[in-house]
PDB file of all heavy atoms in Angstrom:
ATOM      1  N   VAL A 309     124.370 170.493  21.080  1.00 87.00           N
ATOM      2  CA  VAL A 309     124.183 171.905  20.735  1.00 87.00           C
ATOM      3  C   VAL A 309     122.794 172.384  21.151  1.00 87.00           C
ATOM      4  O   VAL A 309     122.648 173.440  21.776  1.00 87.00           O
ATOM      5  CB  VAL A 309     124.431 172.148  19.226  1.00 87.00           C
ATOM      6  CG1 VAL A 309     123.986 173.538  18.809  1.00 87.00           C
ATOM      7  CG2 VAL A 309     125.885 171.934  18.898  1.00 87.00           C
ATOM      8  N   LEU A 310     121.754 171.613  20.818  1.00 84.00           N
ATOM      9  CA  LEU A 310     120.395 172.004  21.206  1.00 84.00           C
ATOM     10  C   LEU A 310     120.227 172.013  22.722  1.00 84.00           C
ATOM     11  O   LEU A 310     119.565 172.887  23.282  1.00 84.00           O
ATOM     12  CB  LEU A 310     119.364 171.078  20.555  1.00 84.00           C
ATOM     13  CG  LEU A 310     119.096 171.299  19.077  1.00 84.00           C
ATOM     14  CD1 LEU A 310     118.232 170.171  18.524  1.00 84.00           C
ATOM     15  CD2 LEU A 310     118.421 172.635  18.852  1.00 84.00           C
ATOM     16  N   GLY A 311     120.830 171.028  23.391  1.00 84.00           N
ATOM     17  CA  GLY A 311     120.731 170.955  24.848  1.00 84.00           C
ATOM     18  C   GLY A 311     121.387 172.143  25.525  1.00 84.00           C
ATOM     19  O   GLY A 311     120.846 172.690  26.491  1.00 84.00           O
ATOM     20  N   LEU A 312     122.526 172.564  25.025  1.00 84.00           N
ATOM     21  CA  LEU A 312     123.222 173.704  25.617  1.00 84.00           C
ATOM     22  C   LEU A 312     122.572 175.031  25.244  1.00 84.00           C
ATOM     23  O   LEU A 312     122.521 175.950  26.059  1.00 84.00           O
ATOM     24  CB  LEU A 312     124.692 173.704  25.179  1.00 84.00           C
ATOM     25  CG  LEU A 312     125.561 172.576  25.722  1.00 84.00           C
ATOM     26  CD1 LEU A 312     126.951 172.629  25.098  1.00 84.00           C
ATOM     27  CD2 LEU A 312     125.651 172.642  27.240  1.00 84.00           C
ATOM     28  N   ALA A 313     122.084 175.128  24.014  1.00 86.00           N
ATOM     29  CA  ALA A 313     121.530 176.396  23.537  1.00 86.00           C
ATOM     30  C   ALA A 313     120.093 176.634  23.992  1.00 86.00           C
ATOM     31  O   ALA A 313     119.720 177.760  24.321  1.00 86.00           O
ATOM     32  CB  ALA A 313     121.599 176.463  22.017  1.00 86.00           C
ATOM     33  N   ALA A 314     119.266 175.590  24.009  1.00 82.00           N
ATOM     34  CA  ALA A 314     117.844 175.799  24.268  1.00 82.00           C
ATOM     35  C   ALA A 314     117.323 175.010  25.460  1.00 82.00           C
ATOM     36  O   ALA A 314     116.168 175.173  25.844  1.00 82.00           O
ATOM     37  CB  ALA A 314     117.044 175.429  23.023  1.00 82.00           C
ATOM     38  N   GLY A 315     118.105 174.115  25.996  1.00 80.00           N
ATOM     39  CA  GLY A 315     117.661 173.345  27.148  1.00 80.00           C
ATOM     40  C   GLY A 315     117.544 171.871  26.825  1.00 80.00           C
ATOM     41  O   GLY A 315     117.434 171.471  25.657  1.00 80.00           O
ATOM     42  N   PRO A 316     117.551 171.044  27.855  1.00 80.00           N
ATOM     43  CA  PRO A 316     117.548 169.592  27.658  1.00 80.00           C
ATOM     44  C   PRO A 316     116.327 169.059  26.903  1.00 80.00           C
ATOM     45  O   PRO A 316     116.427 168.091  26.164  1.00 80.00           O
ATOM     46  CB  PRO A 316     117.584 169.020  29.071  1.00 80.00           C
ATOM     47  CG  PRO A 316     117.850 170.151  29.989  1.00 80.00           C
ATOM     48  CD  PRO A 316     117.623 171.416  29.258  1.00 80.00           C
ATOM     49  N   GLY A 317     115.185 169.694  27.066  1.00 78.00           N
ATOM     50  CA  GLY A 317     113.982 169.230  26.352  1.00 78.00           C
ATOM     51  C   GLY A 317     114.136 169.337  24.839  1.00 78.00           C
ATOM     52  O   GLY A 317     113.632 168.496  24.093  1.00 78.00           O
ATOM     53  N   TRP A 318     114.827 170.362  24.408  1.00 78.00           N
ATOM     54  CA  TRP A 318     115.013 170.572  22.965  1.00 78.00           C
ATOM     55  C   TRP A 318     116.024 169.593  22.374  1.00 78.00           C
ATOM     56  O   TRP A 318     116.031 169.358  21.164  1.00 78.00           O
ATOM     57  CB  TRP A 318     115.459 172.010  22.697  1.00 78.00           C
ATOM     58  CG  TRP A 318     114.359 172.983  22.935  1.00 78.00           C
ATOM     59  CD1 TRP A 318     114.116 173.691  24.067  1.00 78.00           C
ATOM     60  CD2 TRP A 318     113.328 173.319  22.029  1.00 78.00           C
ATOM     61  NE1 TRP A 318     112.990 174.467  23.935  1.00 78.00           N
ATOM     62  CE2 TRP A 318     112.484 174.253  22.671  1.00 78.00           C
ATOM     63  CE3 TRP A 318     113.018 172.933  20.726  1.00 78.00           C
ATOM     64  CZ2 TRP A 318     111.370 174.805  22.068  1.00 78.00           C
ATOM     65  CZ3 TRP A 318     111.903 173.487  20.126  1.00 78.00           C
ATOM     66  CH2 TRP A 318     111.085 174.405  20.790  1.00 78.00           C
ATOM     67  N   ALA A 319     116.863 169.027  23.185  1.00 75.00           N
ATOM     68  CA  ALA A 319     117.870 168.073  22.701  1.00 75.00           C
ATOM     69  C   ALA A 319     117.210 166.854  22.054  1.00 75.00           C
ATOM     70  O   ALA A 319     117.781 166.225  21.171  1.00 75.00           O
ATOM     71  CB  ALA A 319     118.780 167.651  23.841  1.00 75.00           C
ATOM     72  N   ALA A 320     115.993 166.544  22.470  1.00 79.00           N
ATOM     73  CA  ALA A 320     115.280 165.407  21.876  1.00 79.00           C
ATOM     74  C   ALA A 320     114.991 165.615  20.394  1.00 79.00           C
ATOM     75  O   ALA A 320     114.819 164.648  19.646  1.00 79.00           O
ATOM     76  CB  ALA A 320     113.984 165.162  22.629  1.00 79.00           C
ATOM     77  N   LEU A 321     114.942 166.873  19.949  1.00 80.00           N
ATOM     78  CA  LEU A 321     114.709 167.147  18.524  1.00 80.00           C
ATOM     79  C   LEU A 321     115.819 166.599  17.639  1.00 80.00           C
ATOM     80  O   LEU A 321     115.617 166.385  16.446  1.00 80.00           O
ATOM     81  CB  LEU A 321     114.570 168.649  18.274  1.00 80.00           C
ATOM     82  CG  LEU A 321     113.225 169.250  18.620  1.00 80.00           C
ATOM     83  CD1 LEU A 321     113.245 170.749  18.380  1.00 80.00           C
ATOM     84  CD2 LEU A 321     112.123 168.602  17.799  1.00 80.00           C
ATOM     85  N   ALA A 322     116.991 166.362  18.221  1.00 80.00           N
ATOM     86  CA  ALA A 322     118.096 165.792  17.448  1.00 80.00           C
ATOM     87  C   ALA A 322     117.720 164.404  16.903  1.00 80.00           C
ATOM     88  O   ALA A 322     118.280 163.952  15.904  1.00 80.00           O
ATOM     89  CB  ALA A 322     119.353 165.707  18.290  1.00 80.00           C
ATOM     90  N   GLY A 323     116.756 163.760  17.533  1.00 81.00           N
ATOM     91  CA  GLY A 323     116.296 162.453  17.063  1.00 81.00           C
ATOM     92  C   GLY A 323     115.660 162.495  15.686  1.00 81.00           C
ATOM     93  O   GLY A 323     115.517 161.468  15.027  1.00 81.00           O
ATOM     94  N   CYS A 324     115.296 163.685  15.230  1.00 83.00           N
ATOM     95  CA  CYS A 324     114.726 163.816  13.878  1.00 83.00           C
ATOM     96  C   CYS A 324     115.704 163.345  12.809  1.00 83.00           C
ATOM     97  O   CYS A 324     115.294 162.915  11.738  1.00 83.00           O
ATOM     98  CB  CYS A 324     114.318 165.265  13.610  1.00 83.00           C
ATOM     99  SG  CYS A 324     112.931 165.805  14.633  1.00 83.00           S
ATOM    100  N   TRP A 325     116.996 163.441  13.116  1.00 83.00           N
ATOM    101  CA  TRP A 325     118.006 162.988  12.160  1.00 83.00           C
ATOM    102  C   TRP A 325     117.947 161.480  11.921  1.00 83.00           C
ATOM    103  O   TRP A 325     118.522 160.983  10.957  1.00 83.00           O
ATOM    104  CB  TRP A 325     119.408 163.355  12.645  1.00 83.00           C
ATOM    105  CG  TRP A 325     119.732 164.808  12.537  1.00 83.00           C
ATOM    106  CD1 TRP A 325     119.953 165.676  13.563  1.00 83.00           C
ATOM    107  CD2 TRP A 325     119.858 165.577  11.333  1.00 83.00           C
ATOM    108  NE1 TRP A 325     120.216 166.925  13.080  1.00 83.00           N
ATOM    109  CE2 TRP A 325     120.163 166.900  11.706  1.00 83.00           C
ATOM    110  CE3 TRP A 325     119.747 165.286   9.978  1.00 83.00           C
ATOM    111  CZ2 TRP A 325     120.368 167.922  10.794  1.00 83.00           C
ATOM    112  CZ3 TRP A 325     119.941 166.298   9.055  1.00 83.00           C
ATOM    113  CH2 TRP A 325     120.245 167.595   9.463  1.00 83.00           C
ATOM    114  N   LEU A 326     117.258 160.739  12.774  1.00 84.00           N
ATOM    115  CA  LEU A 326     117.178 159.286  12.619  1.00 84.00           C
ATOM    116  C   LEU A 326     116.358 158.864  11.403  1.00 84.00           C
ATOM    117  O   LEU A 326     116.369 157.697  11.022  1.00 84.00           O
ATOM    118  CB  LEU A 326     116.642 158.647  13.897  1.00 84.00           C
ATOM    119  CG  LEU A 326     117.543 158.827  15.114  1.00 84.00           C
ATOM    120  CD1 LEU A 326     116.883 158.247  16.352  1.00 84.00           C
ATOM    121  CD2 LEU A 326     118.902 158.192  14.870  1.00 84.00           C
ATOM    122  N   VAL A 327     115.667 159.803  10.792  1.00 88.00           N
ATOM    123  CA  VAL A 327     114.949 159.512   9.547  1.00 88.00           C
ATOM    124  C   VAL A 327     115.950 159.314   8.404  1.00 88.00           C
ATOM    125  O   VAL A 327     115.714 158.539   7.484  1.00 88.00           O
ATOM    126  CB  VAL A 327     113.971 160.664   9.216  1.00 88.00           C
ATOM    127  CG1 VAL A 327     113.333 160.486   7.863  1.00 88.00           C
ATOM    128  CG2 VAL A 327     112.923 160.772  10.299  1.00 88.00           C
ATOM    129  N   VAL A 328     117.078 159.992   8.496  1.00 87.00           N
ATOM    130  CA  VAL A 328     118.084 159.943   7.430  1.00 87.00           C
ATOM    131  C   VAL A 328     118.583 158.514   7.160  1.00 87.00           C
ATOM    132  O   VAL A 328     118.582 158.071   6.011  1.00 87.00           O
ATOM    133  CB  VAL A 328     119.255 160.903   7.727  1.00 87.00           C
ATOM    134  CG1 VAL A 328     120.396 160.716   6.749  1.00 87.00           C
ATOM    135  CG2 VAL A 328     118.760 162.334   7.715  1.00 87.00           C
ATOM    136  N   PRO A 329     118.992 157.749   8.180  1.00 90.00           N
ATOM    137  CA  PRO A 329     119.479 156.405   7.855  1.00 90.00           C
ATOM    138  C   PRO A 329     118.387 155.471   7.327  1.00 90.00           C
ATOM    139  O   PRO A 329     118.674 154.575   6.530  1.00 90.00           O
ATOM    140  CB  PRO A 329     120.081 155.890   9.160  1.00 90.00           C
ATOM    141  CG  PRO A 329     119.504 156.727  10.218  1.00 90.00           C
ATOM    142  CD  PRO A 329     119.178 158.050   9.588  1.00 90.00           C
ATOM    143  N   ALA A 330     117.150 155.669   7.751  1.00 90.00           N
ATOM    144  CA  ALA A 330     116.071 154.821   7.231  1.00 90.00           C
ATOM    145  C   ALA A 330     115.909 155.021   5.728  1.00 90.00           C
ATOM    146  O   ALA A 330     115.809 154.060   4.961  1.00 90.00           O
ATOM    147  CB  ALA A 330     114.769 155.136   7.957  1.00 90.00           C
ATOM    148  N   TRP A 331     115.894 156.273   5.307  1.00 92.00           N
ATOM    149  CA  TRP A 331     115.778 156.586   3.879  1.00 92.00           C
ATOM    150  C   TRP A 331     117.067 156.225   3.145  1.00 92.00           C
ATOM    151  O   TRP A 331     117.054 155.624   2.081  1.00 92.00           O
ATOM    152  CB  TRP A 331     115.462 158.077   3.721  1.00 92.00           C
ATOM    153  CG  TRP A 331     115.446 158.539   2.313  1.00 92.00           C
ATOM    154  CD1 TRP A 331     114.457 158.328   1.394  1.00 92.00           C
ATOM    155  CD2 TRP A 331     116.453 159.291   1.640  1.00 92.00           C
ATOM    156  NE1 TRP A 331     114.801 158.908   0.187  1.00 92.00           N
ATOM    157  CE2 TRP A 331     116.026 159.510   0.329  1.00 92.00           C
ATOM    158  CE3 TRP A 331     117.686 159.793   2.038  1.00 92.00           C
ATOM    159  CZ2 TRP A 331     116.783 160.206  -0.602  1.00 92.00           C
ATOM    160  CZ3 TRP A 331     118.438 160.495   1.113  1.00 92.00           C
ATOM    161  CH2 TRP A 331     117.973 160.691  -0.188  1.00 92.00           C
ATOM    162  N   GLY A 332     118.211 156.574   3.744  1.00 93.00           N
ATOM    163  CA  GLY A 332     119.505 156.324   3.114  1.00 93.00           C
ATOM    164  C   GLY A 332     119.793 154.844   2.944  1.00 93.00           C
ATOM    165  O   GLY A 332     120.403 154.426   1.959  1.00 93.00           O
ATOM    166  N   TRP A 333     119.358 154.022   3.883  1.00 95.00           N
ATOM    167  CA  TRP A 333     119.574 152.569   3.821  1.00 95.00           C
ATOM    168  C   TRP A 333     118.978 152.012   2.532  1.00 95.00           C
ATOM    169  O   TRP A 333     119.612 151.249   1.813  1.00 95.00           O
ATOM    170  CB  TRP A 333     118.939 151.928   5.044  1.00 95.00           C
ATOM    171  CG  TRP A 333     119.355 150.522   5.303  1.00 95.00           C
ATOM    172  CD1 TRP A 333     118.787 149.397   4.783  1.00 95.00           C
ATOM    173  CD2 TRP A 333     120.427 150.098   6.136  1.00 95.00           C
ATOM    174  NE1 TRP A 333     119.434 148.294   5.254  1.00 95.00           N
ATOM    175  CE2 TRP A 333     120.443 148.694   6.094  1.00 95.00           C
ATOM    176  CE3 TRP A 333     121.362 150.761   6.928  1.00 95.00           C
ATOM    177  CZ2 TRP A 333     121.376 147.946   6.808  1.00 95.00           C
ATOM    178  CZ3 TRP A 333     122.277 150.020   7.636  1.00 95.00           C
ATOM    179  CH2 TRP A 333     122.278 148.623   7.567  1.00 95.00           C
ATOM    180  N   VAL A 334     117.752 152.414   2.248  1.00 94.00           N
ATOM    181  CA  VAL A 334     117.060 151.946   1.037  1.00 94.00           C
ATOM    182  C   VAL A 334     117.727 152.501  -0.208  1.00 94.00           C
ATOM    183  O   VAL A 334     117.968 151.783  -1.182  1.00 94.00           O
ATOM    184  CB  VAL A 334     115.570 152.350   1.085  1.00 94.00           C
ATOM    185  CG1 VAL A 334     114.874 152.043  -0.224  1.00 94.00           C
ATOM    186  CG2 VAL A 334     114.873 151.653   2.241  1.00 94.00           C
ATOM    187  N   MET A 335     118.051 153.790  -0.199  1.00 94.00           N
ATOM    188  CA  MET A 335     118.652 154.418  -1.377  1.00 94.00           C
ATOM    189  C   MET A 335     120.039 153.853  -1.680  1.00 94.00           C
ATOM    190  O   MET A 335     120.393 153.668  -2.847  1.00 94.00           O
ATOM    191  CB  MET A 335     118.735 155.939  -1.192  1.00 94.00           C
ATOM    192  CG  MET A 335     117.374 156.605  -1.096  1.00 94.00           C
ATOM    193  SD  MET A 335     116.228 156.129  -2.427  1.00 94.00           S
ATOM    194  CE  MET A 335     117.042 156.839  -3.823  1.00 94.00           C
ATOM    195  N   LEU A 336     120.818 153.570  -0.653  1.00 94.00           N
ATOM    196  CA  LEU A 336     122.133 152.974  -0.883  1.00 94.00           C
ATOM    197  C   LEU A 336     122.002 151.596  -1.521  1.00 94.00           C
ATOM    198  O   LEU A 336     122.782 151.237  -2.406  1.00 94.00           O
ATOM    199  CB  LEU A 336     122.922 152.882   0.432  1.00 94.00           C
ATOM    200  CG  LEU A 336     123.496 154.189   0.954  1.00 94.00           C
ATOM    201  CD1 LEU A 336     124.072 153.993   2.349  1.00 94.00           C
ATOM    202  CD2 LEU A 336     124.544 154.746   0.006  1.00 94.00           C
ATOM    203  N   GLY A 337     121.017 150.825  -1.097  1.00 95.00           N
ATOM    204  CA  GLY A 337     120.787 149.509  -1.701  1.00 95.00           C
ATOM    205  C   GLY A 337     120.404 149.625  -3.167  1.00 95.00           C
ATOM    206  O   GLY A 337     120.910 148.877  -4.008  1.00 95.00           O
ATOM    207  N   ARG A 338     119.540 150.565  -3.478  1.00 95.00           N
ATOM    208  CA  ARG A 338     119.131 150.761  -4.877  1.00 95.00           C
ATOM    209  C   ARG A 338     120.313 151.215  -5.726  1.00 95.00           C
ATOM    210  O   ARG A 338     120.504 150.750  -6.840  1.00 95.00           O
ATOM    211  CB  ARG A 338     118.000 151.779  -4.969  1.00 95.00           C
ATOM    212  CG  ARG A 338     116.695 151.242  -4.390  1.00 95.00           C
ATOM    213  CD  ARG A 338     115.579 152.220  -4.552  1.00 95.00           C
ATOM    214  NE  ARG A 338     115.304 152.415  -5.980  1.00 95.00           N
ATOM    215  CZ  ARG A 338     114.573 153.403  -6.458  1.00 95.00           C
ATOM    216  NH1 ARG A 338     114.043 154.286  -5.648  1.00 95.00           N
ATOM    217  NH2 ARG A 338     114.362 153.503  -7.741  1.00 95.00           N
ATOM    218  N   ASN A 339     121.114 152.140  -5.185  1.00 94.00           N
ATOM    219  CA  ASN A 339     122.279 152.626  -5.932  1.00 94.00           C
ATOM    220  C   ASN A 339     123.290 151.508  -6.150  1.00 94.00           C
ATOM    221  O   ASN A 339     123.831 151.359  -7.251  1.00 94.00           O
ATOM    222  CB  ASN A 339     122.931 153.794  -5.189  1.00 94.00           C
ATOM    223  CG  ASN A 339     124.146 154.301  -5.925  1.00 94.00           C
ATOM    224  OD1 ASN A 339     125.259 153.843  -5.689  1.00 94.00           O
ATOM    225  ND2 ASN A 339     123.924 155.242  -6.825  1.00 94.00           N
ATOM    226  N   TRP A 340     123.554 150.708  -5.131  1.00 94.00           N
ATOM    227  CA  TRP A 340     124.511 149.602  -5.240  1.00 94.00           C
ATOM    228  C   TRP A 340     124.056 148.602  -6.312  1.00 94.00           C
ATOM    229  O   TRP A 340     124.863 148.144  -7.116  1.00 94.00           O
ATOM    230  CB  TRP A 340     124.655 148.919  -3.881  1.00 94.00           C
ATOM    231  CG  TRP A 340     125.417 147.642  -3.936  1.00 94.00           C
ATOM    232  CD1 TRP A 340     126.772 147.482  -4.059  1.00 94.00           C
ATOM    233  CD2 TRP A 340     124.872 146.324  -3.893  1.00 94.00           C
ATOM    234  NE1 TRP A 340     127.092 146.158  -4.087  1.00 94.00           N
ATOM    235  CE2 TRP A 340     125.940 145.427  -3.982  1.00 94.00           C
ATOM    236  CE3 TRP A 340     123.571 145.828  -3.785  1.00 94.00           C
ATOM    237  CZ2 TRP A 340     125.761 144.047  -3.966  1.00 94.00           C
ATOM    238  CZ3 TRP A 340     123.391 144.466  -3.764  1.00 94.00           C
ATOM    239  CH2 TRP A 340     124.476 143.594  -3.857  1.00 94.00           C
ATOM    240  N   ARG A 341     122.764 148.284  -6.332  1.00 95.00           N
ATOM    241  CA  ARG A 341     122.249 147.338  -7.331  1.00 95.00           C
ATOM    242  C   ARG A 341     122.330 147.895  -8.750  1.00 95.00           C
ATOM    243  O   ARG A 341     122.352 147.146  -9.714  1.00 95.00           O
ATOM    244  CB  ARG A 341     120.807 146.945  -7.007  1.00 95.00           C
ATOM    245  CG  ARG A 341     120.704 145.902  -5.926  1.00 95.00           C
ATOM    246  CD  ARG A 341     119.282 145.369  -5.778  1.00 95.00           C
ATOM    247  NE  ARG A 341     118.297 146.400  -5.437  1.00 95.00           N
ATOM    248  CZ  ARG A 341     118.088 146.866  -4.216  1.00 95.00           C
ATOM    249  NH1 ARG A 341     118.784 146.393  -3.203  1.00 95.00           N
ATOM    250  NH2 ARG A 341     117.179 147.789  -3.988  1.00 95.00           N
ATOM    251  N   SER A 342     122.378 149.210  -8.892  1.00 94.00           N
ATOM    252  CA  SER A 342     122.403 149.800 -10.234  1.00 94.00           C
ATOM    253  C   SER A 342     123.777 149.710 -10.895  1.00 94.00           C
ATOM    254  O   SER A 342     123.885 149.797 -12.111  1.00 94.00           O
ATOM    255  CB  SER A 342     121.954 151.265 -10.183  1.00 94.00           C
ATOM    256  OG  SER A 342     122.974 152.088  -9.650  1.00 94.00           O
TER     257      SER A 342
END
Side-chain angles (χ1 to χ4, degrees):
V309 169
L310 285 171
L312 292 175
W318 289 95
L321 281 178
C324 293
W325 287 114
L326 296 176
V327 173
V328 172
W331 175 76
W333 194 273
V334 173
M335 295 310 294
L336 285 172
R338 290 183 64 194
N339 179 269
W340 170 76
R341 281 189 300 279
S342 75

